[in-house]
Structures are given as C-alpha cells and as structure tokens.
Amino acid sequence: MTWKDGFILAFHGMISNKLRAILTMLGVIIGVAAVIVLVAIGQGASSMVTSRIETLGTNVIFVSPAAGTPFPVSETNIVAHALPFSLQVVPSMNTGSKVSTLTTQGSAQIAGTTPSYLRLGGISLAAGHFITPEEVSASQHVAVLGANQVSNLFGAQNPVGSSIMIMGQKFQVVGALNAVGQGPGASQDNEIFIPITAAQTLFRTTQLSQMIVKTSNPNQANLTADYLTNLYTNEFGSSTAVSVASEDQVLLTLQATRATFTNLLAGTAAIALLVGGIGIMNIMLVSVTERTREIGIRRALGATREDVLLQFLFESMTMSLSGGLIGVIAGLGIMHLVPLILKTPAVFSPAALILAFVFSTAVGLIFGLYPAIKASGLDPIHALRYDG
Amino acid sequence: MIQVTNLVKDYTLAAQVYRVLNGISFTIPQGMLSAIIGPSGSGKTTLLNILGGLDSPSAGQYLLNGRDVSHFGPDEWAHERNHTIGFVFQSFQLIPALSARDNVALPLVYRGIPQRLRRIRADEELEKVGLGHRIHHRPQQLSGGQQQRVAIARALVANPPVILADEPTGNLDHATGLEILEILRQLSQAGKTVVIVTHSQEVAQVCRQVIEIQDGHIVTNTMEMEHSL
Ligand SMILES: Nc1ncnc2c1ncn2[C@@H]1O[C@H](COP(=O)(O)OP(=O)(O)OP(=O)(O)O)[C@@H](O)[C@H]1O
Ligand SMILES: [Mg+2]
C-alpha cells in the first residue's frame, strides 16, 4: 500500500462517519485551540506589563528597607549627593487609609512624596497641578488623586477645589491624575499623593517606605544600583536590610514571572491535547474491534501486517491532523474575540501555533500506534470469522 | 499445481491436543476443478485455510506451483496470496463501506497499482461476471448471488493461477448456486486451478476431481480423465 492510498483510505473513512470523526477529533481541536488562545492571553498580559514598565524607563532604581530597618527621610539628601553625577531622589512614604468626602467614603493608598515624583514619568495630570515645592515646605494639607480615587469619591465631577478627609484631617484636592491602567503600575490609580512633610505629621513617623532613584542617563542605572548597594553595606552597614533594585532587575523578575505564567497556560493546554490523544486512542481501539472482519479480509487478499499497521496509523494521524487544523482555525477565531470579551489583549504567537500542530501530529502518531499494532497483530482466520 | 504430503494440523485447546488433519496427501494439477467434500467438522475449512496460507500446518510439506511454501511466514504468505491465490468465501466477505468496484480493486491496492488502473481492472472483472452496471453499489445494495459474483471478480482481479472457494454456493439458492458454479467451472477451463469446499453432491458432480475427507483422513480421491478430446 502506498502513502497516497493510505491517506485516501483514511480520509474516506473519516468522511463516511463524520459525527464519529468530529467526536474523535474534539479533544485535539480543543487542545490545539486552547494552546493558541491561552498562550496568546499569556503573551498579551506580559506585553502589557512590559510596556508599562518601559514607560517608566530603564533608569529607575528602587531602594526599600526591610521591616524594622531605620530608613529616615534625612537619607534622601545623602543618597542624592552620593554620586558624582546628578541623581533625582524621590522619597515615598506610604500607608493605607480610609478616605471620605461629605457624601462618600472609600479606602486609598496615601503616598507622601515630593514634586519630583511627577518627573519619574508614568503619570500625567488630568486637572489641577501636582504637589508644589511651596506646598512641601509649608507642609500644606493638599492632595492629588489617582484616577480611581477621583471616580470613587467624586464620580464624574471635577474634584479640584473640593475637600477630603484623610485620617481625620482635612485635605484640599489640588490635582487629579489620568488613569494609568492595569499592570503593576496600576497602584497609582488608587493612590492619593500628599506632601511628604504633611505625611510625616499625619503618619507620625520620619521613616520612608521607599526611595525612587532616577539617573538622567539609562547607562548609569546599574552603576548607581551597585554604588547604592555598596553605600548601604559600608556606610550604613545594612545591605541586607535595604534592597536596591534597578528597573532592569524588576523587568527581569517580571519576565521570569510572565514566562512561568505562559508555561503554566501552555502546560494546561498540553494536558488538554494529551486527553485528546487518549480520545483518539479509544475510538481507534473501538474502530479496530469493529473492523476486525475487514482486517481479516484485507489480510486474505494480500495485505501484510505492515499494511494494516500503516492503514490504522494513517487514520489516527489524519484524524489528529484534521483536528489540529480545525483547532488552529478555532483558536485564531477565539483569540480575536478575547480582547472584545475579556478586555485583555491577546498576542498571537507563531511558535504556539507550530507547537500545537506538531504536538497534535505527534499525538496521532503516539496514540494511534497501540491500536494499529493491535490491528496488525490480528490472526486473519479469527478476524474473518469475527461477527460484530 | 497444489501438492501436499503428510499434512498434519493440531489444535491445542485447554491443554488437550486435537488432531484435525492427520496425514493428508494429494495433488491437484493446474487447471483442475477440484472438490473437497466430507462431513461437518472433518477439517475441510482448516485444509483450505492451510492451502491459502491463512493457517499453518503443524507438520507436512506443501508445494505450491512447485515451490515449497511449508515454512512461509505471515508476510511471505501475504505476498503469495496477493499474487497466486484468489479467495472466495461462503459469507462473501466484502467490506460493507466500499463500493463493488473498490471491493474488487482491493488486491491491487497491495500491489501498489495506481487507483486509476485499479478501477479500470475492477470494472473489467465486474463486467465479466455480469455486474458492469452495479459498480457503485455497496454490498448491502446487492443480492446474495450478486455479492458472490463481486467476490469472484475480486478473486480474479489480480489474475491468480489458483482459486480457493470455501462453500461458495452455501449461502445461495439452488439456481444462483449453479450460476456461480458455472463461473468457477469456466475459470478452470481457462487454466486456473479451482478448489471448492462443498457439502453439495451436485456441486461435487460437476468437479473433475473429488477429494473426500473424514476425521482428518482422505477416504477417497477420484479424478476423472480428460475424455473430451
Ligand atoms: N481455532 C480452532 N481451535 C480449536 N479447534 C478448531 C479451531 N478451528 C477449527 N477447529 C476444529 O477443527 C475441526 C475441523 O473444523 P473445520 O472448520 O475445518 O471443519 P469443516 O470440515 O470445515 O466443517 P463444516 O463443514 O461444518 O464447515 C472441528 O472439530 C473444529 O472444532
Ligand atoms: Mg467449513
């Protein structure tokens, strides 16, 4: 039997029993479609995260203390002048708190910071102005609201000029931010920014939560991170208590996380494909039993054991290949619907498509092998006598 | 030509050995129309299956057209059946999913003959057995006699020198049985060796050689001489 005959035969078999063929292929169809869609969602999520990070720039370093380590505001100046090139050092003092207006209430992340925070990038003003140097030196009770805080507390109204209560103290809203969106930077949408001086009295501490350091040249970021680590080890003797992470490192961590995420999704889909393969094997085993007599007839007419083996192998492979093809089409279709329905981006991955296709072919081959071996091993006399 | 010498076939069932064929020897010349008769369970089908290589003897020698095929393995036999033997069965043994044409063409598939040529050959053979107008019918759409004629066309499509038929008329009415027998008789006259296993005296009478077996032994082997010359 030639390869061409094998495929023609398998194809005719499939057409002559369409419902069964579809049911047999269903597992592979779902598996392949799942690989394509889930990987696209995984890639979409990570591309969103990465693009958010990239808007901040790769020249940002985060310095944060471990719990219980002193990290006073006064260190801001030391760090700012520690290196021979200019550094922008933004102190940040954070805490969660209830907030309210006369009519509404909610919760927010309160961040005490300085005007330079705006220059880190990533946020922009929708109305009013950001904290000014004058407001910081005068320790004024003014606040700038993240987008979610605006909508939670004021709805569609312009909040600028209104007052809000934070920890029992009255603050005047002087600015509102544009929405940042999802991703790790999304916290800014839930934040309320106040002058760091006001925060010190409000929180009753001089302890910083974080120092955000920005170099003017991206090439200086890693050098600065190294220098700061060194500084904290030697001058303050607390390298383990303070962690210094450059944007690059954060990005690497995120990439590792996203790779794990994508692998997890791909793994889930691979299991679906495996289940599809077992489905093919089951139906092929039933098919071999049903067609025992046919196998006997073919053997009586001159088919070798290899001919029979190939016939059934072609059949399972045609089945899984067709399932793979339908799965690819279905997967691409669903992938285009994902952004509309789930409101998350989906990024097509050619590698996932090729992988899914290769995998489904392999599934047909591997799971078709056992039934095919069984068919080829049948004794022709018994097969001819079989009535089923 | 078929020559067997001291053919023995044992079946082992539940540690008990049953000797189904016990020293069978005969010769069937080329072009002979030969009947194997005997009571039910005497081993006729077993013998025919051994002649076609579907079953293997426990002992003895088998020469097919002068070649010793006693020790052929399953795949050598597959090739041998494809080239030298045409099978006709009592229950027709057609593949239900295939048309008459594709059923007939089956042996050619295993010779690697392209589909176009297979169809031409199959249609020719169906024409010869009077089914030229039924090539697209499935087996269920044909009468018993028509199905058996499809089976004969299939046995002939690869032009083998030997036809083995196990009760080819057993599932047919009297008149249809005689038609099938006539086709087989003409084949032997055309030079093919035709071996028919049968219960029917009428069928046996048409044959020029009659081998009768009982309990695995040959009791009579009569051959009519060629008088017609
Ligand atoms: N696979 C087997 N295992 C054990 N015994 C078998 C097997 N096949 C056949 N036999 C036995 O061999 C004997 C001969 O069987 P066979 O089918 O050759 O008889 P037969 O002459 O063709 O009978 P019938 O005229 O009824 O078709 C029977 O007793 C049968 O039970
Ligand atoms: Mg029998």
Side-chain angles (χ1 to χ4, degrees):
Chain A
M1 194 174 59
T2 62
W3 282 63
K4 196 178 147 207
D5 282 327
F7 271 116
I8 290 173
L9 193 65
F11 200 71
H12 276 285
M14 216 168 68
I15 304 238
S16 67
N17 201 336
K18 289 188 198 71
L19 180 66
R20 170 186 283 199
I22 294 283
L23 289 176
T24 310
M25 291 185 281
L26 204 58
V28 173
I29 295 174
I30 292 172
V32 169
V35 169
I36 290 171
V37 173
L38 292 181
V39 170
I41 291 175
Q43 299 269 309
S46 65
S47 75
M48 201 163 62
V49 167
T50 316
S51 72
R52 280 227 30 72
I53 293 286
E54 279 160 1
T55 58
L56 274 182
T58 52
N59 47 347
V60 172
I61 298 149
F62 298 97
V63 185
S64 22
T69 307
F71 198 52
V73 180
S74 54
E75 280 178 16
T76 309
N77 264 332
I78 302 174
V79 171
H81 300 102
L83 281 135
F85 41 83
S86 79
L87 287 177
Q88 194 176 317
V89 182
V90 182
S92 180
M93 198 179 259
N94 302 344
T95 190
S97 164
K98 287 207 172 346
V99 289
S100 59
T101 65
L102 285 176
T103 50
T104 53
Q105 55 177 3
S107 58
Q109 273 300 120
I110 314 297
T113 188
T114 60
S116 49
Y117 189 94
L118 188 63
R119 272 173 279 149
L120 289 175
I123 56 168
S124 59
L125 280 159
H129 62 81
F130 200 69
I131 299 162
T132 62
E134 295 73 37
E135 284 161 353
V136 173
S137 21
S139 187
Q140 278 186 26
H141 279 196
V142 292
V144 177
L145 307 189
N148 287 348
Q149 293 302 337
V150 174
S151 57
N152 287 349
L153 295 171
F154 295 95
Q157 269 182 295
N158 183 358
V160 175
S162 307
S163 299
I164 56 171
M165 296 298 286
I166 305 171
M167 293 173 152
Q169 305 236 13
K170 194 168 169 184
F171 280 74
Q172 201 192 4
V173 179
V174 294
L177 299 178
N178 284 316
V180 174
Q182 282 166 322
S187 56
Q188 285 152 319
D189 285 344
N190 289 320
E191 278 180 80
I192 293 177
F193 298 91
I194 60 175
I196 188 140
T197 42
Q200 283 178 50
T201 34
L202 191 66
F203 304 165
R204 293 176 221 280
T205 177
T206 55
Q207 176 82 359
L208 286 177
S209 308
Q210 195 177 44
M211 228 187 267
I212 306 163
V213 180
K214 188 170 183 175
T215 61
S216 38
N217 184 341
N219 296 333
Q220 294 166 343
N222 282 334
L223 178 66
T224 306
D226 288 347
Y227 186 86
L228 289 179
T229 308
N230 193 36
L231 177 79
Y232 273 94
T233 313
N234 299 331
E235 308 265 319
F236 305 136
S238 58
S239 73
T240 51
V242 174
S243 78
V244 177
S246 72
E247 195 71 58
D248 273 359
Q249 289 164 307
V250 174
L251 204 63
L252 280 179
T253 315
L254 273 166
Q255 270 164 348
T257 314
R258 92 179 204 197
T260 314
F261 184 58
T262 305
N263 287 347
L264 201 74
L265 291 179
T268 310
I271 291 170
L273 262 178
L274 211 68
V275 173
I278 294 169
I280 287 190
M281 183 162 74
N282 282 339
I283 299 289
M284 289 310 294
L285 282 173
V286 171
S287 176
V288 168
T289 308
E290 273 181 359
R291 289 155 68 192
T292 298
R293 206 184 246 268
E294 173 184 331
I295 294 163
I297 295 170
R298 287 179 184 274
R299 291 293 305 279
L301 299 179
T304 60
R305 289 173 296 184
E306 192 191 317
D307 286 328
V308 174
L309 182 96
L310 283 180
Q311 179 186 340
F312 281 89
L313 219 48
F314 275 132
E315 226 172 281
S316 61
M317 279 182 65
T318 307
M319 212 85 91
S320 67
L321 264 175
S322 309
L325 210 63
I326 298 173
V328 164
I329 295 165
L332 291 179
I334 296 168
M335 197 187 83
H336 282 101
L337 292 178
V338 163
L340 305 177
I341 296 167
L342 295 180
K343 311 267 183 249
T344 63
V347 175
F348 171 67
S349 153
L353 189 140
I354 292 165
L355 194 82
F357 215 68
V358 169
F359 212 85
S360 66
T361 313
V363 155
L365 195 68
I366 293 164
F367 288 94
L369 202 58
Y370 174 61
I373 287 172
K374 221 182 137 183
S376 69
L378 285 175
D379 173 10
I381 301 180
H382 287 137
L384 280 168
R385 253 198 235 123
Y386 182 86
D387 40 23
Chain B
M1 186 163 75
I2 292 170
Q3 278 175 290
V4 295
T5 319
N6 279 323
L7 219 54
V8 173
K9 179 66 186 178
D10 292 329
Y11 281 119
T12 310
L13 218 79
Q16 184 105 22
V17 177
Y18 297 89
R19 182 145 291 190
V20 177
L21 297 178
N22 191 1
I24 299 272
S25 303
F26 60 76
T27 298
I28 300 173
Q30 186 65 38
M32 180 55 71
L33 179 63
S34 180
I36 297 174
I37 60 168
S40 191
S42 56
K44 305 182 296 295
T45 296
T46 305
L47 176 59
L48 201 75
N49 284 340
I50 290 173
L51 295 184
L54 291 173
D55 209 344
S56 50
S58 308
Q61 197 190 39
Y62 177 12
L63 298 181
L64 179 59
N65 293 330
R67 285 162 58 235
D68 190 348
V69 295
S70 315
H71 303 291
F72 268 22
D75 291 333
E76 284 169 298
W77 263 118
H79 181 265
E80 192 66 25
R81 275 196 294 276
N82 192 240
H83 286 79
T84 51
I85 293 169
F87 265 109
V88 180
F89 299 96
Q90 176 174 0
S91 48
F92 321 135
Q93 303 283 23
L94 301 174
I95 296 176
L98 300 183
S99 65
R101 168 198 266 171
D102 287 341
N103 264 293
V104 172
L106 267 182
L108 302 179
V109 170
Y110 300 108
R111 282 199 185 183
I113 290 172
Q115 189 178 50
R116 198 177 49 84
L117 292 180
R118 293 204 298 260
R119 295 206 155 150
I120 293 171
R121 275 293 295 133
D123 292 354
E124 276 172 17
E125 285 307 325
L126 281 166
E127 193 71 51
K128 280 191 209 160
V129 295
L131 289 175
H133 56 304
R134 291 277 192 268
I135 53 173
H136 297 300
H137 284 55
R138 298 277 176 95
Q140 309 97 286
Q141 297 163 331
L142 297 169
S143 74
Q146 287 171 334
Q147 288 186 53
Q148 195 60 301
R149 279 190 276 166
V150 172
I152 290 176
R154 182 181 65 186
L156 295 173
V157 76
N159 197 25
V162 176
I163 303 287
L164 302 178
D166 193 356
E167 304 193 40
T169 61
N171 271 346
L172 304 174
D173 64 50
H174 185 245
T176 316
L178 289 183
E179 279 173 33
I180 296 297
L181 184 63
E182 179 54 22
I183 295 173
L184 292 171
R185 198 186 64 80
Q186 282 170 12
L187 286 171
S188 79
Q189 283 192 328
K192 295 199 186 297
T193 308
V194 180
V195 182
I196 306 173
V197 165
T198 185
H199 275 120
S200 154
Q201 271 307 314
E202 199 175 359
V203 172
Q205 266 165 16
V206 176
C207 296
R208 284 167 37 226
Q209 180 181 27
V210 179
I211 300 167
E212 186 180 358
I213 59 176
Q214 241 172 55
D215 295 330
H217 293 279
I218 292 187
V219 286
T220 58
N221 180 354
T222 56
M223 206 184 301
E224 172 191 312
M225 289 302 117
E226 199 77 65
H227 297 305
S228 52
L229 291 173

